[in-house]
Amino acid sequence: MKLGMLFNGLVAATLAVPIVRFLLSSVTLGLENVYSAWVPLGRVSEFPEGETRLATFRHPFVAPTDGKTADVACWVRRIEGEQFQVFAVNCAHLGCPVRWFPQSGLFMCPCHGGAYYRDGSRASGPPERGLFEYPIKITGGTITIHAGELPTPGPTAALDRVRPPCA
Amino acid sequence: MRVIAAIAGWVDHRLQLAEPIRDAAEHPVPRNTASWWYVFGSAALVLFCLQLVTGVLLAMVYVPSADEAWSSLQALNHQVAFGWFIRAMHGWGSNFMVAVVLIHMTQVFLFGAYKFPRELTWIVGVFLLLTTLGMAFTGQIMRFDEDAYWGLGIGVSIASRIPVAGATIVSLMLGGPIIAGATLSRFFTLHVFVVPGTLIALVCLHVLMVLKLGINEWPMPGRLVRRATYEREYHELTKTDGAPFVPYAVWKDMFFAAFILLAVGACAWYFGPFGPTGPPRSHDHPGRPEA
């Protein structure tokens, strides 16, 4: 009886290793930084100065069944020249997609009324911080951003690990 | 007839289930429990069976892939005969099940049916409520339309605020960096295997305890439940003022079960299925709260 239990325990522990690793795969892959990469958004000339436009990029980590869900939206603000700000579309409150209203110069969230100024900083509403901002690089007239995990307002939000947010 | 009886006799001689099934069906219940107040538990079970049947039917057409789930719902709505109706039954059945489980819980609470010796039945019931709500939440993700997509966004944003483990939980929920194929696949697994499996096991425990301990009698003001004497009193009550569950009390359960199925069917027929709203896109949004 004791030998049987001991042997079963050993086998269970051995089999548990691949099972647990399998279940935690998305967590460990995230820690290994395979999710994030520099992705191009387009030519600098496509974005008029002083305006904020919606852009879409293909997520760097795509699975075969992702379909359109791997196309991620973001707000691109060209201040002037090569000065840009790129914001995640997700509100810093509960992740709903914010919209840009040029008339009022505000980003507004349709879910719970979060509002942000044109530079992404918090204006009002439930969000406790400004919009999530992507790190930017401009090379050869092309604007690229460092994109990775879906930004969430938790204490270790993926974008914050790369660079502290502007807001 | 004699052939059927002979075959049944042959099978039961080996299976030996007829006796315990008859005992369970004919177990004595207090006469005053044959009331319309006592029909909600069995109605919840009937609705769960409806969900199992319609769920299996939907799974024959539905494709759990972020790329194709939405279009497979279009096929269900427009190509498969009565696909829209089965979807509507499953959706409305879910709403009814949540409502009936809550009514059942309220009745059990108000009648004091959670008291000794039925505390564990109540505790298992609480987990049944949680799994029912789990089915409802994971089920609306199966549509994988824009409502499901942004509902997930809200879900992970809330989960991300959990101290220390937030980011890990978000990763586990999404199955990857963003809301995409892996996310739908794992919620499909939860909705179709994990949660219903748990639900079936808990329902078995719950019903088994109801059979073993007996349905609670009609509560009377001033009559207290005493640990030392309750079980003897209850046993005597079922002897002196009891009646077999089948057929004395069961007809009300059967009548209400048919009524609730008819109500689900009527809602499904009249109001139709839920969604799908627009396809899941990270830049499109219906622009209404909690979508």
Side-chain angles (χ1 to χ4, degrees):
Chain A
M1 179 72 183
K2 263 187 188 162
L3 187 69
M5 280 170 71
L6 190 72
F7 187 50
N8 269 286
L10 269 174
V11 172
T14 315
L15 293 181
V17 173
I19 291 172
V20 170
R21 284 295 305 272
F22 178 92
L23 283 174
L24 294 178
S25 168
S26 61
V27 178
T28 44
L29 282 176
L31 294 175
E32 288 160 16
N33 261 336
V34 299
Y35 288 149
S36 48
W38 289 94
V39 286
L41 278 186
R43 309 285 303 166
V44 168
S45 53
E46 289 170 34
F47 301 96
E49 281 189 34
E51 285 191 25
T52 299
R53 292 273 173 97
L54 190 74
T56 308
F57 62 91
R58 193 82 178 147
H59 194 273
F61 187 87
V62 180
T65 58
D66 284 351
K68 287 278 182 199
T69 53
D71 294 331
V72 182
C74 59
W75 290 106
V76 183
R77 175 192 181 211
R78 186 172 178 191
I79 304 163
E80 59 176 4
E82 294 205 335
Q83 266 188 294
F84 276 86
Q85 275 187 302
V86 181
F87 306 108
V89 79
N90 307 88
C91 181
H93 174 224
L94 287 177
C96 295
V98 295
R99 290 177 184 173
W100 167 244
F101 290 86
Q103 306 90 329
S104 49
L106 291 171
F107 293 97
M108 289 198 264
C109 178
C111 286
H112 310 97
Y116 307 84
Y117 296 115
R118 63 181 72 241
D119 66 351
S121 58
R122 176 186 178 274
S124 78
E128 60 271 60
R129 48 162 292 164
L131 287 173
F132 302 102
E133 205 176 332
Y134 291 101
I136 309 169
K137 213 163 58 179
I138 294 171
T139 40
T142 300
I143 174 164
T144 53
I145 59 168
H146 198 255
E149 287 167 64
L150 173 80
T152 47
T156 52
L159 287 177
D160 293 354
R161 282 208 291 265
V162 183
R163 202 182 77 169
C166 69
Chain B
M1 273 314 275
R2 239 189 311 157
V3 180
I4 296 174
I7 294 173
W10 186 92
V11 171
D12 194 57
H13 188 75
R14 280 139 191 91
L15 205 56
Q16 309 209 354
L17 270 181
E19 184 80 22
I21 288 174
R22 194 177 307 120
D23 282 352
E26 291 175 356
H27 77 280
V29 295
R31 276 180 191 274
N32 52 25
T33 64
S35 148
W36 290 108
W37 282 106
Y38 283 76
V39 296
F40 298 108
S42 65
L45 181 58
V46 167
L47 285 170
F48 180 51
C49 293
L50 171 76
Q51 294 306 91
L52 287 178
V53 173
T54 51
V56 168
L57 291 175
L58 292 177
M60 295 199 287
V61 177
Y62 177 75
V63 182
S65 139
D67 198 16
E68 289 155 33
W70 193 83
S71 40
S72 75
L73 292 199
Q74 302 299 328
L76 272 167
N77 276 0
H78 304 296
Q79 288 175 3
V80 183
F82 284 96
W84 68 271
F85 184 69
I86 302 299
R87 279 201 61 226
M89 285 286 276
H90 199 66
W92 281 100
S94 154
N95 279 0
F96 270 77
M97 188 170 159
V98 172
V100 167
V101 165
L102 288 172
I103 295 171
H104 176 51
M105 186 183 80
T106 310
Q107 184 263 326
V108 165
F109 180 75
L110 293 178
F111 279 52
Y114 54 85
K115 291 178 190 171
F116 176 85
R118 303 187 181 86
E119 306 95 322
L120 192 59
T121 321
W122 168 269
I123 291 168
V124 171
V126 169
F127 283 98
L128 279 169
L129 172 67
L130 292 177
T131 42
T132 302
L133 294 176
M135 287 304 285
F137 177 72
T138 54
Q140 64 99 22
I141 289 170
M142 293 304 101
R143 284 204 295 274
F144 221 61
D145 54 6
E146 55 188 6
D147 286 10
Y149 183 93
W150 293 110
L152 271 170
I154 290 174
V156 293
S157 295
I158 293 171
S160 78
R161 286 185 163 89
I162 297 170
V164 187
T168 309
I169 291 168
V170 169
S171 258
L172 281 174
M173 281 174 79
L174 295 182
I178 53 172
I179 304 166
T183 318
L184 178 58
S185 294
R186 59 188 47 208
F187 275 95
F188 179 77
T189 310
L190 286 175
H191 186 71
V192 173
F193 298 107
V194 181
V195 185
T198 314
L199 198 48
I200 290 171
L202 291 176
V203 164
C204 290
L205 271 179
H206 198 71
V207 174
L208 185 74
M209 279 190 282
V210 172
L211 287 173
K212 293 255 180 204
L213 302 170
I215 198 80
N216 82 303
E217 75 281 20
W218 192 274
M220 296 296 283
R223 192 173 68 203
L224 301 179
V225 173
R226 288 193 183 80
R227 267 164 205 263
T229 56
Y230 177 81
E231 275 163 325
R232 199 178 62 237
E233 287 165 11
Y234 180 83
H235 192 66
E236 238 149 64
L237 179 71
T238 56
K239 256 190 181 166
T240 55
D241 193 26
F245 175 68
V246 179
Y248 185 78
V250 77
W251 75 269
K252 282 198 171 85
D253 292 272
M254 286 170 69
F255 190 91
F256 191 72
F259 171 76
I260 207 89
L261 288 180
L262 189 68
V264 173
C267 283
W269 191 269
Y270 187 75
F271 297 109
F274 295 96
T277 56
R281 298 269 196 286
S282 72
H283 55 280
D284 267 347
H285 187 265
R288 55 180 183 273
E290 314 305 343

